Structure formats: C-alpha cells, structure tokens
Amino acid sequence: MAQDTTRSFSVITDGLPSQLPDIDPAETGEWLESLDAVIEESGRGRARFLMLKLLERAREKAVGVPGLTSTDYINTIPPEREPWFPGDEHVERRIRAYIRWNAAIMVSRANRPEFNVGGHIATYASSASLYEVGFNHFFRGKDHLSSSPGSASGDQIFIQGHASPGIYARAFLEGRLSEQQLDAFRRESEQGGLSSYPHPRLMPDFWEFPTVSMGLGPIDAIYQARFNRYLLNRQIKDTSGSKVWAFLGDGEMDEPESIGALGVAAREELDNLIFVVNCNLQRLDGPVRGNGKIMQELESLFRGAGWNVIKVVWGRDWDPLLARDTDGVLVHQMNTTPDGQFQTYTTSSGEYIRENFFGADARLRRMVADLADDDLRKLSRGGHDYRKLYAAYKAATEHTGQPTVILAHTIKGWTLGKDFEARNATHQMKKLTKAELKEFRDRLYLEIPDSALTGDLPPYYQPGPDSEEIQYMRERRAALGGSLPKRVVRAKPLTQPPAKLFDELRKGSGKQPVATTMAFVRLLKDLMKTKEMGARFVPVIPDEARTFGMDAMFPTAKIYSPHGQRYEAVDRELLLSYQESVQGQMLHEGISEAGSMGSVIAAATSYATHAQHMIPVYVFYSMFGFQRTGDQMWALGDQLGRGFLLGATAGRTTLNGEGLQHQDGHSLLLAATNPACVSYDPAFAFEVSHIVREALDRMYGERDDKVFYYLTVYNEPVPQPAEPAGLDPAQIIAGMYRFRSAPSLPDGAGEGATPPRAQLLASGTSIHWALGAQEILAADFGVAADVWSVTSWNELRREALERDRVNLLNPEAAEAVPYVTRVLDGAPGPVVAVSDWMRAVPDQISRWVPQPFTSLGTDGYGRSDTRAALRRHFKVDAESVVVATLESLVRAGEVKASTVEEAIRRFGLREDTDAVPGTDGAS
C-alpha cells in the first residue's frame, strides 16, 4: 500500500521542551487528548485558533514561550482594538487627493518633449496615505525648541526616494514651494529647480536624508536611531522625544543593507525606530514575490530578528467579511493566494474576483452573495485606509523595548487609473494621456474642467491658503512642530584645540620606529582629552581596534553599550581591558563596515540633525573602505557629513603577508570620485599633525566647509623625522613640498660636465624608497635628485582642474597656473613619481607637470610576501626608482642606455626574488 503523505508533517522542536523531563505525564496526556478531540470534532482550523489563543495568553502572562514568526494574512490590530481617529476624515481625504494630483502632474509636465527628464508617479500613488497619516498626526518637526523636552530635534524621516514627487506636492500646498519650482522638477539649472530624489547637498534647506540608493535608507535609519540613544546616554543631547521613521519599499528589502543590521536594532532595544514598508507587491520590473507572499516573508524575518511587527493588510470594508469567517475559510484563502495573483485581482473585474477568489469554496461564495461585482472590485488594501494606518502608527509609537516595523499592503499606482494600477510597467510610466488625466481627476473628485486638460500642460491644483484643507494642513504641522522635511543647521563653530597640542608629532620620533597609523592614534588620544572638543570625538571601529593600536582607549574612553557591561571581562586584570559602558565614547561595530558607516553618517550630520557637532573618526582597513562601502560614503557627502575616514594599513605593499583581498592600491582613486572627500596620503607624522589641524578648523571652525577627510595611513614602523626647519604648512595642505634637496655633487660626477638632475615625487610610505633612490643615484651614478613629499595627489589634481576651469571661462585674463606647475617650475630634470598605489594615482597630475613625467606604482592584484619582495615584484623599491630615473635621463640625452642596463643587471630587477629578504626595499 502506498504511503499517504498528504497528512505528513515534520516534527517541530524549535523552542519545545524536547529534553526536559515530564514531571506529570498524566496531565500532559490530558492536554494532548483534548487537542486531539478538538481536531476530530471541530477541525484543524478550530484547533489552530485555540492554540493561537493559548499562545497569546501565555505571552500576556509572561510564560516565556517562543513567539510566532508568522501570523495569518490579516491585520495585526483587529477592529475592536483600533483607537478613535482624531482627524477630520473628509478633509484629510481631500488633502491626499490634491497631493496625488499635483505629484502626478509635476512628473507628467516634466516629461513634455522639450525636457523629458523622467520621474516616478506610481510609488507615491501607492504610499500617499502612509505619509499623510504621519504628516497630520505623528511626525514631529524641529520648531519645538523648549516647550517639548527631548523633541527639539524633531523626528528623523527617511523618505522613500521614488516618492519625492508627493513630498514636493505637499510642500507646494503648504506654500513652501512655488509652481515655478514644481515645473523645474529635475532641472536644477533653473532657479529653485528641484532635485530628482532626496538630496540634501542639492537642497540643503529641504531634504535631510538621501535614500534613493536603495538599501542605504534602512541601515542608516537604524544607526541614526542608535546614535540618538548614544547622544542621550552620553548626556550630549536629550533625544528622548525623537523617533526615526524609515519609509521603504518591499522590493528594497532584498538589498543586503536593508536587513543586515536588523539584529542591532533589536539587540539595543531601539523603540525609537519605526520602519514602514510599502508592500505594493511590486518592484521595478514585476512582482516582488510572484509565487510567494512578501509580507509574510518580511514578517518572519523581522519577528525572527526580534522586532515588533504590525501588519496592515486589509481596509475596513473587509472587516464585516472577516467577522463572518467563523470557520477560517476566508483567512485560509488569503493565506494561500500568492502575491502575483493579488496583483492580477487588482487589475481585474469584480466578476473575475468573485469567480477566482471567492468561487473556490461555497462558503466564500455565500459570504459575498450580497455584494455587487463593483463592490468586490473596490475591496481595499489596508495601506490606503487611514484608520487602519493611524491605529498601526499609534501602536508603534507607544510600543516599548523593541523597534517596530509596519507592513502595509498597498497598490502601486493606486488611483492613477486602470492603465497604471498594479501594472508591471508602472514604475517606468511617467506621463498621463488626456483620457488618463480625466479618469484620474474623476477618481479624486477634483473640480477641474475638461477644458483645462486639453492643453499640453495640465494644471496643478491649489485651493488657496484660506481653504479649509490648507488651513488644516498648516494647523496640524504647527501643532507637531513645523513643516517637514526641513533641514536646519543650528550648531555653532567649535573652539579649536590649542596649537601646542599638535607640536608633539612635529618633533619626530628619534630612533623609535613609529607607523603613521600609530602617530594618528596618538594625536587622536590627545585630542580626546581636550576640553574644547574632546567629548565631541566619536571613534568608530569595525572590530580591529587592537590592529590599529586603539585598544589603549578602552579603559578611558570605553566602548558604548546601551546596557553597560553586565559581565566580568576575561581580561579585566590587564591594563588595556575591554570595557563597555552606557556612557562609552567609542562605537565598536563588530565585523560590519556598513554598520560602521551608518554610525559615521549619523555622527557626521549631527550638527544639522541635532544641532550638535560630533566628530566621527572611523579607522578601518583601507581595502574595506571605499571598495566595500563607497555607496555610503557617497551618501555621506550627499548628506553634507563631516568627519574623518582613516584608511589604515594603506598601500599595496605595507600589509605584508596578507595578499590579494587585503592590499589596497586603489582607494585613493575611488576617493577622488567623491566631490566631498578631501584625501591625503601623508608620509610623516608631522604631516598628519598639520593635516588634522587644518581639517578640524575647516570642518568645525568658522569656515564651516561641508567636506569629509580621507587619510591613508600605514602600518609600517619607521623612524619619524622632525619637521624640516622653515617648512610652510600651507604646502603640506596644498599637496606637495620639497622634502629633501639633492646632495651637492662635484662637476663631472655624472656622465657629463655637470651632474644630471631629476625630481622624485613620492607619497606615503614610498617616500622612503625615493630617499633610498636619492642616495643610490648620488653615490653610484652621479645623479642629483630632489625628493618631494606629495601629501595629496588628489588635491593637486582638484586644484589644477579648478585653475583650468578659470582659464576656460576667462580667456582674456592672465593665465591661472596650477600649484603643482608653479612649485615644479624650474626644477631641473625629468620627474619620476612613485607611490604604493596604482600608477593612475600619481598620473592624475601628469598633464600639469612641466617636466617629462614617469610614474611607478603597484598595478595588479596584491600577493602574500614580505614587504621587500612585494616592492620588488611591483618594481617600486628604491632600486626600481633608480632605474626609472636613469631611463628618464636617457630619454633626456643625459645618461647612456648602457648605464640603465648595467643598473638593471646589478640590482637584478628582472627577477622578483632578487630583493633582499627581510628588508623594507628602501636600499
């Protein structure tokens, strides 16, 4: 006989007492017999209902049973638990209609033939109610400076990027934006033009958070909420009244960044955080889960991560049907219908819905027998029902001990008409035809005549500042603290630390080898002790504090934890014991570069968000910075963040033994692509001192520049020289200076009457190879070479490009000469540039160098070996610099080619293994 598998179920043991002894088997048996009896007499549905009720009661009594990770496909909050809705339903419906219309018209007008700049209509159409319930009843603005303790910062609202047209349309009704500005949507060259998406750098008085790079909004919102608690616990700012709201798309939740930090929010009990996921079941090209149920999947994910989950699935017109569903047949149908089919129901007739959704079971047919086909077609989704949403928002804001996610079922393109709603192509549809405009108008009940819709520019709808709707909007926002979104900067410049604090690194280290990473950390420790800004520093570390020598900060600064330290540290008797504290200053993010950048962004923009200057200092393996989290660094610039990124263990050869995945030879190129990033590759500790001092003044002093700094520092310990006498620090900041002039050589020391000359340019750790080459060239080949320290190839290029721009626009004025050209003007001989980076890094300045230019670099993948072997492999060691210099002099006619061949053979450059093992490759 074939085995019947239809009734087979896997045995679930998760959380059940499979190993605990049964102290009363008889009582256990009675409970099991009762369950069996219910199943036999009333069916599995009734048994399931009773078990869910028992679980609910167990949770009420704090029995401690595991929670369900998934519940039925119905609203979490039943009708009888919904609170009274305090707003004016009719007025709010009218407001939403006006905003919907203006948002769609703005995008449609922007896509007339002469512009055709794109835009999105459908996302906001699906989420209008989600935003409006918040704007009218929950989102707190920034105007409550003292009347509401803890609320001066207002709420932080992360708005879904593609919904920006609706936010502009609301601001238009409030009088914050003009019709001319709406018409300049996506045309920022126009006066007052509007950016495509939320971009604070482009609209610094309007947007707060850039969110359209999908996935960054969720993780940045989590770390924003966490940083709010950090400020509160460190008693820097009372943020107890601030909530962080993140509006997200269900398709966006597939991004790793969207879900990668959910555990952080639950672990730290961030009940100041609310996610609102717009579950319109569609991503950009089609269903998010055509064969599945994305809301159920997300519910399991969030519940499993420890979040409070509120589902808003169905509108109020489903309540009577669910009330009559005594045997659970309707809920079962809801549970088993895939998203792709729900999308089809949205576009189908009532007859089709009756036959296919309700027709599978006679009980379902009877349930809707008194409803017309048109009634079935209009059965609504919960994300469009302001009463259901208000109940969810209120429950979320009152929940304690957990972050909350609201999963709201909506229809993409809702109210836009049959050609838009729930269509797979909806995301790319940017214009409304004349017929679609009329249908849209009729569905919104707007008083716009047909004659106004016949021209090329359909009109915006503005009822006027004295209308009931506009007055209502303004009254609600005034009560909640002012209009949103709005970016406000109230922070004052910080008093700079005393100049003498920076003098220690300028003295050098004598004979003691010190890596530039250690030099920076030493300076940071001193800065953190200053009364002027010490408490403002926020060290951020991704689980590598000991690698970078920052474990020395553990006992004093301590590691931030909202729960303090509830255990005895295993290394508690050691001087550098791991110590956590509620008031801890360091943010130790574990193995999460994305999480670290989330903290950096929150700290770097605190001057605007909370009117408090904070100075993030994020120290990381340089390979795992721009390469791994460059998108967040771009968002940092967009959000006008300031602070320090430290690419430690920089370069492709200083991190010896690590190999391909760890050795960075290109992050400076990636940094060069970020317009807000000021990057330096310092060679010496005294350069680090001047750069940091300049950066603090530039970002946090009177200049108030909206930039952030990227410093590449090295783990190779070398004796640090004292700052040369007479050095102008402005040259360090500008990007290069002559560090060591060529030694004096007698005439005839080279191959001609006077010694050949050359210029060696080097940055970071490569300065030592250039200095070694300078000695060899002088002693063995009679070549006099100057050595220049290039502190920033990127800044040299940036300044030169700006000079070129000036010359382009001022052809009749005196030529503006780039700094690199001026400083090298008259320097004799060819230029050889060397660094621990790809040749493309120094090549950035080649067009402005007046001499013949040659570069050496570490192109290719890294490899595991000693520093000396690596440098020989890439041909950047001192001997390679010598050969490159001689070869440049051959082209200049000052050295014979045979001399170059002799040098190659002498140094064994054709074989990687000829480097001396265990040396640094400098000689």
Side-chain angles (χ1 to χ4, degrees), residues 25 43 145 171 215 243 289 370 381 468 523 530 545 569 648 675 773 865-866 892:
L145 292 178
K243 296 284 187 184
R289 296 289 186 273
D370 58 339
R381 307 295 189 259
E468 182 182 10
L523 177 60
T530 63
D865 216 313
T866 64

Side-chain angles (χ1 to χ4, degrees), residues 542-606:
D543 206 32
E544 288 284 359
R546 301 182 196 280
T547 301
F548 307 132
M550 298 181 73
D551 51 336
M553 298 180 183
F554 288 169
T556 52
K558 295 185 173 57
I559 298 160
Y560 171 74
S561 168
H563 309 300
Q565 185 163 312
R566 300 174 179 175
Y567 61 93
E568 287 189 327
V570 67
D571 58 356
R572 61 190 179 279
E573 297 180 359
L574 299 180
L575 181 63
L576 303 183
S577 172
Y578 194 90
Q579 295 188 35
E580 299 182 64
S581 169
V582 174
Q583 291 82 35
Q585 189 167 358
M586 305 176 72
L587 290 176
H588 196 294
E589 305 300 3
I591 305 176
S592 175
E593 286 82 7
S596 298
M597 277 306 303
S599 285
V600 167
I601 293 171
T605 56
S606 183

Side-chain angles (χ1 to χ4, degrees), residues 453-482:
L453 303 179
T454 58
D456 293 332
L457 294 178
Y460 297 113
Y461 192 86
Q462 172 57 276
D466 296 328
S467 68
E468 182 182 10
E469 294 85 359
I470 303 305
Q471 289 294 323
Y472 183 92
M473 288 177 68
R474 290 178 172 174
E475 289 169 4
R476 293 307 308 141
R477 289 314 314 155
L480 289 166

Side-chain angles (χ1 to χ4, degrees), residues 783-818:
V783 174
D786 296 330
V787 174
W788 300 73
S789 177
V790 180
T791 53
S792 179
W793 309 99
N794 292 9
E795 288 306 295
L796 289 175
R797 173 181 179 273
R798 180 172 285 168
E799 189 268 352
L801 288 172
E802 183 56 35
R803 297 284 180 172
D804 283 357
R805 177 181 174 84
V806 170
N807 291 332
L808 175 68
L809 300 177
N810 300 277
E812 297 181 352
E815 182 180 6
V817 181

